[in-house]
DNA sequence: AAGAGTTAACTTACTCAGGAGTCATATCGA
DNA sequence: TCGATATGACTCCTGAGTAAGTTAACTCTT
């Protein structure tokens, strides 16, 4: 007995038997967290494997490459964000009130898993590489909801220059991103508080907002 | 035959005799370009050495480490940007006109070397690490010029909440950054054209600007 | 029911490339 | 001859990707 292990302990290989879809979901969950918190470049496949409680080759078995894993994570994260945006879009608010409603939904969505945001807006993700052409597409889908509003604002002001509209859209998106990022950098702030902060800021610049038909006060 | 060169050819080592300050400037120039165009993580010390036309050990001899080289590049880039901002700040424009004047100066400054901007605002630069505490300080100095303006705007609107002011400042900075980034992504656009584009956008949102005392039309 | 064969899940232990950093040495002007 | 300028040729480590094998569960017989 105590002579026990001449052989080194050969633990579980293949014993766990977790079904592939479930395992993939676990890996994507861990991947989103690490990619979101540290960025693509600073995250290694081994890190993700550790965090998911499995070994590196399993990730290659299921996702093919680091890029493949990354794409799966971005798909997951952006699907979550897009569905939230489409939900709030269907609420029917217009103008700046719609922006605040969208921000409010985003804050509530991100509170339990803030890293999802930076999975999609990750500056260290490789911009080149065919798989990532795809990522730009999803960033665009997430931000698209503001495009019409900007075009309409510009049209009312008598400006239909497409480049002017595009630059304005870029500025507008950056505000949205900046407010989310500011909130992510202030972890003590509840979604409700942040939404009201956004309301105050919008009112300061744009005057009173039409909140009728929203759940906001 | 020609048993000639048993020894491999040992070419010039130490022959060039360029004085250290001049060499350092060349290396920093190349470093700014590569760090700015590809980001800190994606740039290797060997790349910089190649671009500067010298060998890797010389960089370690002069800057000690990749971090040391990076700090030197950030110092250089941010010094250039800060001096330009202080120059335009001294012109005496106020409010949004001052913002446009600052943007105008930035466009003209960056036109021949656009990469300088992204040296300072590099998302792949390591946020941790004592040397980079420093970088945040310089980003702040570059953006500080907008802080008072935001605080004053908020005060006039009767809001002195420091967190509200900070969030507004973040949003404002993001607009500035977004306009510069948009311009960098549209290489065909001259500084003059971009400045007038900015003027149109500011007018659309904030109404007519007080351009008296500026060189702008 | 008890074995035989197949497959999916999973691991250890590698290879290989690239990049940070170092060492010993070479050239040249003062 | 000494110090500054400079380099080729290393070491060493990290991280992507792979090969080969192990375990268990699920068949398919008889």
């Amino acid at each position: 007995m105590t002579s026990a292990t001449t052989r080194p302990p050969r633990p579980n290989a293949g014993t766990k038997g977790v079904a592939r879809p479930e395992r993939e979901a676990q890996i994507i969950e861990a991947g989103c967290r690490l990619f979101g918190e540290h960025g693509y470049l600073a995250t290694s496949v081994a890190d993700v494997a550790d965090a998911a409680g499995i070994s590196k080759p399993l990730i290659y078995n299921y996702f093919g490459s680091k890029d493949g894993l990354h794409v799966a994570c971005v798909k997951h994260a952006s699907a979550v964000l897009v569905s939230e945006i489409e939900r709030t879009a269907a609420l029917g608010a217009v103008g700046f009130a719609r922006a605040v409603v969208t921000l409010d939904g985003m804050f509530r969505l991100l509170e339990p898993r803030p890293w999802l945001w930076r999975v999609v807006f990750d500056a260290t993700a490789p911009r080149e590489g065919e798989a990532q052409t795809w990522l730009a597409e999803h960033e665009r889908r997430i931000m698209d909801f503001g495009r019409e509003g900007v075009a309409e604002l510009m049209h009312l002001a008598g400006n239909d220059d497409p480049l002017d509209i595009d630059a304005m859209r870029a500025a507008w998106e950056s505000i949205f991103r900046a407010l989310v990022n500011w909130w992510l950098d202030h972890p003590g702030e509840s979604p409700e508080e942040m939404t009201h902060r956004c309301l105050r800021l919008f009112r300061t610049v744009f005057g009173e907002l039409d909140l009728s038909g929203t759940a906001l006060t």
Side-chain angles (χ1 to χ4, degrees), chain A residues 12-214:
Chain A
N12 47 0
T15 54
K16 304 188 183 170
V18 177
R20 176 164 180 162
E22 190 183 343
R23 214 30 131 198
E24 284 182 341
Q26 290 171 4
I27 294 170
I28 288 174
E29 164 103 13
C32 280
R33 181 157 202 162
L34 294 182
F35 283 135
E37 286 180 348
H38 309 303
Y40 176 84
L41 276 177
T43 301
S44 76
V45 178
D47 290 340
V48 178
D50 280 356
I54 48 93
S55 69
K56 198 167 55 144
L58 193 59
I59 290 183
Y60 283 91
N61 195 15
Y62 286 172
F63 299 98
S65 66
K66 182 180 182 181
D67 247 41
L69 170 64
H70 184 235
V71 167
C73 290
V74 171
K75 270 186 181 169
H76 172 72
S78 73
V80 173
L81 300 194
V82 165
S83 81
E84 169 61 22
I85 282 174
E86 287 172 352
R87 187 188 69 78
T88 51
L91 261 37
V94 295
F96 293 111
R98 176 171 170 187
V100 177
V101 169
T102 308
L103 282 165
D104 182 63
M106 199 53 67
F107 298 144
R108 291 170 196 277
L109 176 80
L110 291 175
E111 192 183 26
R113 41 203 191 296
W115 52 83
L116 280 190
W117 179 259
R118 301 209 209 259
V119 173
V120 179
F121 298 98
D122 179 1
T124 77
R127 286 293 155 179
E128 307 146 23
E130 49 181 315
Q132 269 63 13
T133 320
W134 199 94
L135 193 147
E137 163 68 15
H138 268 244
E139 278 191 8
R140 199 184 58 70
R141 275 181 61 196
I142 290 178
M143 280 302 169
D144 240 12
F145 80 100
R147 188 170 268 124
E148 319 98 56
V150 167
E152 187 184 340
L153 172 75
M154 300 285 284
H155 182 73
L156 289 177
N159 186 339
D160 289 304
D161 180 313
L163 285 178
D164 276 14
I165 292 175
D166 192 62
M168 183 70 96
R169 175 201 53 75
W172 167 251
E173 285 179 14
S174 85
I175 295 174
F176 192 96
R177 296 228 281 252
L179 288 171
V180 174
N181 283 329
W182 188 92
W183 176 67
L184 291 175
D185 288 338
H186 292 74
E189 183 114 335
S190 76
E192 290 76 17
E193 287 170 331
M194 188 62 198
T195 297
H196 281 92
R197 192 182 299 289
C198 291
L199 264 178
R200 289 196 297 277
L201 299 186
F202 276 92
R203 284 192 179 116
T204 299
V205 181
F206 304 113
E208 199 52 46
L209 273 51
D210 176 14
L211 259 35
S212 62
T214 77

